[in-house]
Amino acid sequence: MSLQLNCDLGESFGSWKMGLDEAVMPHIDLANIACGFHAGDPLVMQRTLSLAKQNNVTIGAHPGYPDLEGFGRRSLKTSATELKAMLLYQIAAIDGMASTIGLTLKYVKPHGAMYNDMMADTAIRKTVMAAISSHHRPLILMLQSTPEAEQHEQEAKDAGIRLWFEVFADRCYADDGKLLARSQAGAVHNTEKMLSQVKQLQEHGTITTISGETLRLRADTLCVHGDNMDGVNAIQQIRELIK
């Protein structure tokens, strides 16, 4: 699989609008569509799916914790059984809506705190994998590429699923392969540094960490953001760079 661009979309709900989905969709390969728990609602999901179909974009479920007020960015303590059901409920919703317009759900990328919890806690990650494995047809799990990629791949193999490894285009990495906390200076790249990181990743399979170390990361997909026109313009530049 060549390097694909993925973006979180369908995160409006009710009268509240989030993101520039119409401007972003023509420039990406993979749309991570909110499933109604952290953002999104049935009408927004329907519109986002239709937009993906118009632009021939592959669709994925973007499930999160049931936390509209916190936009899914707050961790919730759940049992494994509850987390699995929570995931299957959201996956089934977007999968069913997609099928009504002739689209096929391809993958799952957890959102926000659920994504972070999955990366930090082996038990949570394995529960996520078990949920995806129990879906009625195969789905791929997208997760952050780290130096532990081989371990994560073995966990996925044990669960009977495939992985897509994700690298963040606009984020700086610490020496241990984790994303530098946003509270630290330099955590988010400007456009020049972002394009340099993408070029390095594409040509060499590496990124440069905050201290100047070279770190090899497996990468199937790049996460990009289209919350404003600067972000949309950056996506267009990345698209041109990786053609």
Side-chain angles (χ1 to χ4, degrees):
M1 175 173 152
S2 59
L3 200 58
Q4 306 277 289
L5 299 187
N6 81 80
C7 189
D8 301 344
L9 298 173
E11 293 185 318
S12 303
F13 62 90
S15 60
W16 185 73
K17 183 173 175 59
M18 173 71 175
L20 301 174
D21 293 8
E22 294 83 359
V24 171
M25 196 73 83
H27 307 294
I28 63 171
D29 306 290
L30 309 170
N32 320 317
I33 303 177
C35 305
F37 271 32
H38 78 278
D41 61 33
L43 187 57
V44 170
M45 291 165 68
Q46 189 176 60
R47 288 172 176 167
T48 309
L49 287 165
S50 295
L51 192 60
K53 184 174 183 178
Q54 292 168 22
N55 290 275
N56 198 31
V57 172
T58 299
I59 57 168
H62 195 44
Y65 290 128
D67 180 25
L68 283 174
E69 294 83 358
F71 196 61
R73 290 176 174 165
R74 300 179 291 191
S75 292
L76 298 181
K77 297 296 183 183
T78 66
S79 68
T81 301
E82 186 179 13
L83 177 58
K84 186 175 179 180
M86 192 183 298
L87 283 160
L88 289 173
Y89 182 96
Q90 294 176 80
I91 292 168
I94 195 74
D95 189 25
M97 293 189 75
S99 68
T100 66
I101 61 170
L103 291 180
T104 301
L105 191 71
K106 181 74 172 179
Y107 66 95
V108 178
K109 176 187 172 181
H111 166 81
M114 185 184 288
Y115 187 100
N116 293 335
D117 292 347
M118 171 185 73
M119 295 307 305
D121 189 313
T122 301
I124 292 175
R125 188 167 58 252
K126 288 185 176 181
T127 297
V128 171
M129 290 181 178
I132 294 171
S133 177
S134 67
H135 190 60
H136 65 89
R137 58 179 179 76
L139 292 172
I140 297 164
L141 172 63
M142 186 185 296
L143 51 67
Q144 184 182 338
S145 182
T146 70
E148 288 75 45
E150 287 189 9
Q151 173 194 328
H152 297 159
E153 195 162 51
Q154 183 59 53
E155 292 170 356
K157 184 178 180 180
D158 292 342
I161 66 171
R162 290 173 53 204
L163 298 180
W164 280 345
F165 290 102
E166 173 184 46
V167 177
F168 291 77
D170 63 349
R171 294 294 301 278
C172 183
Y173 284 76
D175 291 345
D176 62 1
K178 296 179 181 178
L179 295 178
L180 198 66
R182 287 182 178 271
S183 58
Q184 297 189 43
V188 180
H189 290 321
N190 59 28
T191 301
E192 182 181 356
K193 287 186 176 180
M194 177 186 66
L195 293 175
S196 177
Q197 178 159 289
V198 171
K199 184 177 181 180
Q200 180 182 349
L201 185 67
Q202 184 186 31
E203 294 181 354
H204 306 290
T206 63
I207 55 96
T208 300
T209 69
I210 186 65
S211 69
E213 296 292 325
T214 298
L215 181 67
R216 181 166 296 279
L217 290 176
R218 294 176 58 177
D220 298 305
T221 179
L222 277 173
C223 180
V224 295
H225 300 97
D227 299 340
N228 52 58
M229 281 311 300
D230 286 341
V232 174
N233 292 334
I235 292 171
Q236 291 176 289
Q237 292 181 68
I238 292 172
R239 166 61 68 204
E240 290 299 316
L241 186 62
I242 66 174
K243 274 186 178 178

